[in-house]
Amino acid sequence: MVHSRAQGVAVTAPQAAPPAQPRKAALAAWIGSALEYYDFFIYGTAAALVFNKLFFPGSEPATGTLLALATFGAGYLARPLGAFVLGHLGDRFGRKRILVSTVLLMGAATFAVGCLPTYASIGVAAPIILVSLRLLQGFSAGGEQAGASSTSLEHAPPHRRAYFTSWTLGGTQFGQVLATAIFLPVAALPEADLLSWGWRLPFWLSAIVVVAGLLIRRTLDETPVFTDQEQRGEIARAPVAVLLREHLGSVVRVVFAAMIATVSTIFTVYALSYAVNDVGLSRTAMLWVGVVANLVAILVIPAFGALGDRIGRKPVFLAGSIGMAVTMVGYLYAISAGSYVWIFVFGILVFGLGNSATGGVWPAFYGEMFPARVRLSGVAIGTQIGFAVAGFAPSIAAALAGEDGGNWPAVAGFVAVVCLVNVIAVATGRDYYRTPTEDLGLPVTGERRTAAATS
C-alpha cells in the first residue's frame, strides 16, 4: 500500500482504477455533458432568435430582446443553488447518482419548454412559466460539469488528469454544436412556421437526450477515491460546511477564475443576437459560425489538456484568457462591419482556440485545489457562482451596446475586464499538476510526497 503523510496523518492511497475505467469515465463525461448542454444551449439559441417575439411581444424590439436574454441568464441564478445541493449530495452519496439525476432533471425541464403555450395564448403566465423551467435547467447544470469533471479526475492516471478531464468540456462543446445544428434547418423555416411550431422541435428532442444519458451514465462505476473513502468511513456528513471552513480561499479563487465563462455566453448568445437583430446578418450564417468554432474546439480541447499535463495548467489557461480578450475585439468589429470572412476567422480564434485553451485545463485546475471529500462541492459552488456572472453577461452587453447595438467597443471592454480578473485569479494560484491524486487539496509539508502511479 502507498501512504501519504500530509498533515501528519497516514492516508492509504485508493486502489488504482482498471485501465479501461479512465477512458470509460471520460467517455461518459463527454457524452453526458454533450447531452446536458444540448438542452441548455438550445434555450440560449431560442432566446437570441425567437423568444423576444413569442414571450415578450408587447415590448419594444430592443426591450424584448433584453428580456429574452435575461431569461437565459435566469438559469444561472439557480446554478449556485444547484451547486450547493448537488455538490453536497455528490460528496455525501457519490458522483454517479448526481450524473444520473442531472440528466433526468435537465431533459424533463427542456421538454416542458417545448410544450409551453406562448404569450398570445396565456398572457403573462407564459414568461413566468418559461423562467421557472429555466431555473430548473440551471439547478441541474449546477452539478453537471462538477460531477463529470470530478468523476473523470478521480478515475484518471495522476500524470494525465488534465487530458481525461478535458473531455468533459469537449462534450460541452459538442452539445453546443448539436444545439446549433438542430436550429439550422429550424431557423431556415419561413417566419410564420418558425414562430408557430418550428422552435419547439429542438426542445422536444430532449426526450432522446434523457434516454441516451441514462443508458450511458448508469453503466459507469463509482470512482475509486470515493469508494475508498466510503469503505474507510471518511465521508463528510456536511461536505459544504467542511469546504467553507477549510477551503474557502480556494472557492473564492475558483469563483473569480470561472468568470471567464463570460466569453462563452457573449459569443454564443449576445453576439448572435447582435449580428441578427441589430446588424441584420443572416441567421443561418451566424449559426454556422458557432458550428465551425465548436467543431474546432472539439478537436483541440483534448490537445490543450494534454499540453497542460506536460507544462502545467496555468500557462495554458493564461494564454487562452489573454488571447480571448484580444480576439473578441476583432470578432465584434467584424460583425459590425458585416464581413462574414472575418467573422469566421475571429470566431474560430476567440472560441475555437482561446476558449478551448481555458476549457482544456480548468476542470483539472479547479478540481485539484480540493481534497476528494469536498471536491464536487468545491468545484460546483466555485464555478457556478462565477458562471452566474457569465449568465447575465449577454444582458449586460446588450445594455452597454445601447438600443441600436452600435457601442460594441464597450462590450469588448467588458470582456477584457472579465479576462483580466481571470488572469489575476489564475496567475496567483498554485499549479498542482505534479501532485499525486491522493495528496490533492492537502497542505504542502516538508516531507516527500507520495510517488504518483505511472499507468
Side-chain angles (χ1 to χ4, degrees), residues 104-292:
L104 276 172
L105 183 57
M106 178 69 79
T110 305
F111 186 85
V113 171
C115 301
L116 184 62
T118 63
Y119 187 94
S121 300
I122 60 174
V124 71
I128 292 175
I129 299 173
L130 178 69
V131 171
S132 299
L133 293 173
R134 179 61 176 167
L135 292 174
L136 287 178
Q137 281 188 322
F139 184 90
S140 171
E144 165 56 33
Q145 277 189 340
S149 62
S150 295
T151 299
S152 297
L153 186 147
E154 292 172 4
H155 274 296
H159 63 294
R160 301 193 72 193
R161 291 192 298 253
Y163 171 75
F164 280 104
T165 56
S166 73
W167 285 83
T168 302
L169 268 291
T172 299
Q173 305 310 122
F174 183 78
Q176 293 187 46
V177 170
L178 192 60
T180 306
I182 291 295
F183 255 101
L184 280 170
V186 172
L189 290 170
E191 186 83 0
D193 292 336
L194 172 65
L195 296 178
S196 62
W197 56 268
W199 70 273
R200 299 181 185 274
L201 296 179
F203 292 92
W204 287 338
L205 289 175
S206 62
I208 301 174
V209 171
V210 174
V211 174
L214 286 176
L215 290 176
I216 293 161
R217 290 188 164 182
R218 289 184 65 182
T219 63
L220 181 66
D221 294 338
E222 186 55 80
T223 70
V225 172
F226 183 84
T227 301
D228 182 70
Q229 285 193 327
E230 193 172 40
Q231 291 173 347
R232 292 189 282 114
E234 295 182 354
I235 301 297
R237 295 185 61 85
V240 174
V242 175
L243 173 74
L244 298 180
R245 183 174 66 248
E246 300 179 7
H247 304 280
L248 181 60
S250 294
V251 174
V252 172
R253 185 177 304 282
V254 173
V255 169
F256 285 113
M259 288 170 59
I260 197 63
T262 292
V263 178
S264 177
T265 56
I266 291 291
F267 179 88
T268 306
V269 181
Y270 166 76
L272 176 62
S273 176
Y274 170 51
V276 174
N277 297 325
D278 295 325
V279 182
L281 300 182
S282 165
R283 262 196 313 249
T284 300
M286 291 307 301
L287 289 174
W288 270 110
V289 175
V291 170
V292 172

Side-chain angles (χ1 to χ4, degrees), residues 81-120:
L81 176 60
F84 274 92
V85 175
L86 297 174
H88 166 84
L89 295 176
D91 284 329
R92 186 78 174 84
F93 301 106
R95 293 28 172 150
K96 180 177 177 179
R97 295 183 183 182
I98 295 304
L99 295 184
V100 172
S101 300
T102 53
V103 168
L104 276 172
L105 183 57
M106 178 69 79
T110 305
F111 186 85
V113 171
C115 301
L116 184 62
T118 63
Y119 187 94

Side-chain angles (χ1 to χ4, degrees), residues 347-364:
I348 291 171
L349 289 175
V350 70
F351 200 74
L353 295 179
N355 190 64
S356 297
T358 61
V361 296
W362 77 246

